Amino acid sequence: MTPIDKLIVHFRKSITLTDDEAEIVGGCFTIVELKKKEILLFVGDHSSHMRFISEGCIRSYYMDGEAKEHVIQFGIEDWWINDLYSYLTNTPAKQFIQAVENCKVLQIHKNKLNELYNSVPAIERFFRFKFEKAYVSLQERTINTMSKTAEERYIEFRSNYRDIEQRVPQYMVASYLGITPEFLSSLRKKVLTNLS
């Protein structure tokens, strides 16, 4: 299945597209191939594309004043990844987006997407759902970070994102959870002991 075919299948899980509409939609996206560790979006750039991951694993992260990385999001096949704040406010990105593995990403420029909303109205509905879901996820993650212990956050991460945990280095998982790699290592041992 080609990357465009994967994208159309993804859209059709949420909205109805005729074959003609699918062809219009597919023609609006461009394929970007990334090597492992390659940066797709740099801090300071404007995030002007919506990005669908056709193949591979990607992360978004920011660097604090002490040059420490903080992972904001992971993305794998069939997911979207972006610096949504930069995209929606047309301000410089505060996050890097980097390939964790070799990747194929389909992206569409904001202007092209706005045109697509008019020619294929179902696409606007699709992205409205996506933005709503992204907001809910962000709020849920913020509340979890403030209210749950590191162990509870790790168990939840492991339960929800088992595929990701097996594909990314442990220091990135630790960064996502807001803990040190050493603490994550001891947590993993404890959780695995309890499971056996």
Side-chain angles (χ1 to χ4, degrees):
M1 191 182 292
T2 69
I4 295 291
D5 290 337
K6 287 181 186 176
L7 176 69
I8 298 305
V9 167
H10 175 78
F11 278 130
R12 283 179 165 158
K13 288 176 188 171
S14 304
I15 56 171
T16 301
L17 290 177
T18 66
D19 289 344
D20 287 345
E21 287 173 332
E23 195 168 327
I24 292 168
V25 170
C28 293
F29 282 79
T30 55
I31 300 174
V32 178
E33 295 194 22
L34 301 166
K35 298 285 185 205
K36 182 178 178 178
K37 296 190 178 180
E38 192 173 345
I39 304 281
L40 179 60
L41 178 73
F42 286 88
V43 166
D45 292 349
H46 281 74
S47 186
S48 52
H49 293 81
M50 289 303 295
R51 298 177 175 95
F52 172 77
I53 304 166
S54 168
E55 189 178 303
C57 180
I58 293 179
R59 68 172 176 149
S60 69
Y61 67 97
Y62 79 92
M63 304 273 280
D64 66 21
E66 296 169 3
K68 184 179 174 189
E69 293 179 6
H70 300 270
V71 175
I72 306 295
Q73 180 188 0
F74 292 110
I76 55 173
E77 294 84 3
D78 220 29
W79 290 23
W80 296 80
I81 194 159
N82 206 350
D83 181 332
L84 264 185
Y85 187 85
S86 171
Y87 181 87
L88 293 171
T89 62
N90 197 31
T91 55
K94 294 182 175 161
Q95 302 172 27
F96 292 93
I97 297 179
Q98 180 186 41
V100 178
E101 304 169 346
N102 291 344
C103 297
K104 287 183 184 170
V105 175
L106 288 164
Q107 62 180 27
I108 182 170
H109 192 277
K110 185 189 252 185
N111 296 340
K112 194 68 147 172
L113 183 57
N114 287 331
E115 291 171 15
L116 197 54
Y117 288 163
N118 294 324
S119 54
V120 185
I123 293 295
E124 186 169 18
R125 191 165 58 255
F126 173 87
F127 279 102
R128 189 181 77 237
F129 296 151
K130 281 290 164 202
F131 290 146
E132 288 169 359
K133 191 175 175 188
Y135 178 76
V136 168
S137 294
L138 175 63
Q139 192 164 33
E140 191 174 68
R141 179 155 183 232
T142 303
I143 290 168
N144 283 350
T145 300
M146 292 188 290
S147 64
K148 293 188 176 177
T149 66
E151 184 174 350
E152 288 169 331
R153 293 197 310 273
Y154 172 63
I155 290 168
E156 190 171 272
F157 178 84
R158 201 180 144 80
S159 168
N160 294 336
Y161 307 116
R162 191 76 184 115
D163 288 353
I164 293 174
E165 188 190 20
Q166 294 172 344
R167 292 171 69 172
V168 303
Q170 288 303 298
Y171 79 89
M172 289 184 190
V173 175
S175 172
Y176 179 83
L177 295 171
I179 58 179
T180 65
E182 296 75 22
F183 188 51
L184 176 60
S185 181
S186 65
L187 267 182
R188 288 182 80 225
K189 285 177 191 157
K190 182 179 176 185
V191 169
L192 291 172
T193 302
N194 290 344
L195 289 174
S196 57

